Amino acid sequence: MASPTVKLNSGYEMPLVGFGLWKVENNTADTVYNAIKAGYRLLDGACDYGNEKECGEGVARAIKDGLVKREELFIVSKLWQTFHEGDKVEPITRRQLSDWGIGYFDLFLIHFPVALEYVDPSVRYPPSWSAPGEKPRWSKATTQETWTAMEGLVEKGLAKSIGVANFQSQLLFDVLRYAKITPASLQVEIHPYYQQRDLVKMAQNEGIFVTAYSSFGPTGFIECNMDEAKNAKPLMEHEVIKAIADKVGKTPAQVLLRWATQRGLAVIPKTYREPIMKQNLDCVGWDIPQEGMDEIAKLEMNLKFNKPTNYFEAENLYIFG
């Protein structure tokens, strides 16, 4: 089963359903290989995930075995916060491409709209939030400086499309003021507990395609020891989601993914289990009844899990507050 595609404002086709690579830490190359074998053509990675070299090994093996051609894949990666200075963007992008073993990214995103002090890859890579033994510190790089450097990646053929992640409306409008290349995609946390309807509407009105991550809500954040995640009811166990799943003959996970794709959003679920990989791809081509969509809309809690402040000791919170 292959995912349908959508056309980005850059003119390129992007699969609607992709495979997320955050926290893919065990047998990463095998997981990527199996995801491709299952039918995934979009792979969503990042420098910060610390597994790009292994992801590239999985891609190389899949190509060698004839499962896929490079041009049939849509590989996404992201610029980490410590590389926002204009002269740091291209070198780190080339480093990431080398790790993947490819010549270009299909989509390259600014990971977070917060510029941090540069960390030399020879000192720490992936760089985390700061150099070893140091506290996170601001960089003086502006979003405009970073976006201009991102546009240079397109001009040099290092990225076919560029976009942003974890931006809100105000920052999107700011980028649109000076962008020569409009962001092709916005990737943000979206699930029934955090639906971001206004942001989605704004991005769609500007022709920016939205990808939802963390479609299963708190599930991916419990292991990060976040109180919000531990205290929230798992969405796949929620009676509303389970009732819809029973009605349409799908799993709760498929319902959560279809809720997003039915809203016109791309999704990037992750699993190590091959049968579930194929199951997660089946989140298009059928619909949740409108009454089901209305019930899910009532689950909105404005409950966001991926907050950088959750990763820091209290003394560092002022940076991201």
Side-chain angles (χ1 to χ4, degrees):
M1 177 184 294
S3 167
T5 62
V6 295
K7 180 170 279 191
L8 301 177
N9 62 27
S10 57
Y12 293 100
E13 297 282 339
M14 183 181 83
L16 192 64
V17 184
F19 191 84
L21 297 166
W22 180 45
K23 296 192 297 182
V24 176
E25 299 165 351
N26 301 319
N27 302 314
T28 302
D30 289 341
T31 300
V32 169
Y33 182 91
N34 290 335
I36 294 171
K37 186 177 180 180
Y40 289 89
R41 294 297 177 264
L42 187 158
L43 301 171
D44 183 82
C47 164
D48 180 56
Y49 300 167
N51 59 9
E52 291 194 295
K53 185 175 178 61
E54 293 78 11
C55 291
E57 291 170 357
V59 166
R61 178 150 45 103
I63 292 174
K64 181 180 179 181
D65 289 354
L67 298 183
V68 71
K69 298 177 181 178
R70 168 63 184 98
E71 56 269 25
E72 295 172 335
L73 293 173
F74 193 97
I75 297 178
V76 183
S77 192
K78 306 176 188 77
L79 177 78
W80 186 240
Q81 297 170 251
T82 54
F83 303 114
H84 278 214
E85 284 91 348
D87 64 342
K88 303 299 191 299
V89 172
E90 182 181 332
I92 197 60
T93 304
R94 290 186 181 277
R95 163 72 182 264
Q96 291 176 240
L97 287 168
S98 176
D99 285 347
W100 275 93
I102 58 178
Y104 63 89
F105 288 121
D106 294 274
L107 176 63
F108 197 61
L109 308 173
I110 297 177
H111 202 151
F112 279 101
V114 178
L116 296 178
E117 188 175 80
Y118 174 68
V119 176
D120 192 310
S122 66
V123 174
R124 170 184 278 180
Y125 192 82
S128 186
W129 307 94
S130 63
E134 300 287 340
K135 293 182 179 181
R137 288 192 290 265
W138 288 109
S139 161
K140 294 182 179 179
T142 64
T143 304
Q144 182 172 4
E145 176 183 347
T146 306
W147 187 253
T148 299
M150 294 282 286
E151 291 174 327
L153 301 178
V154 177
E155 294 167 1
K156 294 183 179 181
L158 301 178
K160 289 190 173 182
S161 302
I162 51 176
V164 296
N166 300 298
F167 276 49
Q168 291 296 305
S169 298
Q170 299 91 330
L171 275 171
L172 273 180
F173 280 126
D174 180 62
V175 172
L176 291 172
R177 286 189 308 108
Y178 46 74
K180 295 178 182 178
I181 299 176
T182 300
S185 179
L186 166 67
Q187 186 179 125
V188 286
E189 178 182 345
I190 296 177
H191 45 76
Y193 289 155
Y194 190 59
Q195 301 185 18
Q196 302 224 65
R197 292 183 177 275
D198 290 340
L199 176 61
V200 169
K201 183 177 180 180
M202 176 264 166
Q204 291 176 338
N205 285 343
E206 296 295 334
I208 301 170
F209 199 85
V210 179
T211 294
Y213 70 75
S214 297
S215 294
F216 304 141
T219 303
F221 295 94
I222 293 174
E223 62 196 64
C224 297
N225 202 33
M226 295 181 182
D227 289 338
E228 296 98 328
K230 289 185 289 185
N231 295 332
K233 186 169 188 175
L235 277 165
M236 283 188 277
E237 298 176 13
H238 199 289
E239 55 272 13
V240 168
I241 304 302
K242 291 171 69 176
I244 295 171
D246 289 341
K247 185 171 184 177
V248 299
K250 300 292 182 179
T251 68
Q254 288 172 309
V255 168
L256 290 167
L257 294 171
R258 181 56 182 149
W259 171 78
T261 60
Q262 197 163 318
R263 293 176 62 196
L265 312 177
V267 291
I268 45 174
K270 176 199 76 176
T271 180
Y272 288 101
R273 295 171 290 172
E274 293 179 57
I276 305 300
M277 288 179 181
K278 294 179 180 179
Q279 203 172 77
N280 285 345
L281 271 174
D282 183 17
C283 60
V284 292
W286 55 275
D287 285 337
I288 298 171
Q290 186 56 49
E291 58 267 28
M293 295 294 285
D294 293 341
E295 286 299 308
I296 295 176
K298 297 175 185 177
L299 300 182
E300 171 66 72
M301 297 171 63
N302 195 33
L303 184 55
K304 178 178 173 62
F305 299 111
N306 191 23
K307 297 185 292 186
T309 50
N310 285 331
Y311 303 108
F312 289 90
E313 298 294 334
E315 62 195 30
N316 292 325
L317 295 186
Y318 73 92
I319 292 181
F320 296 97

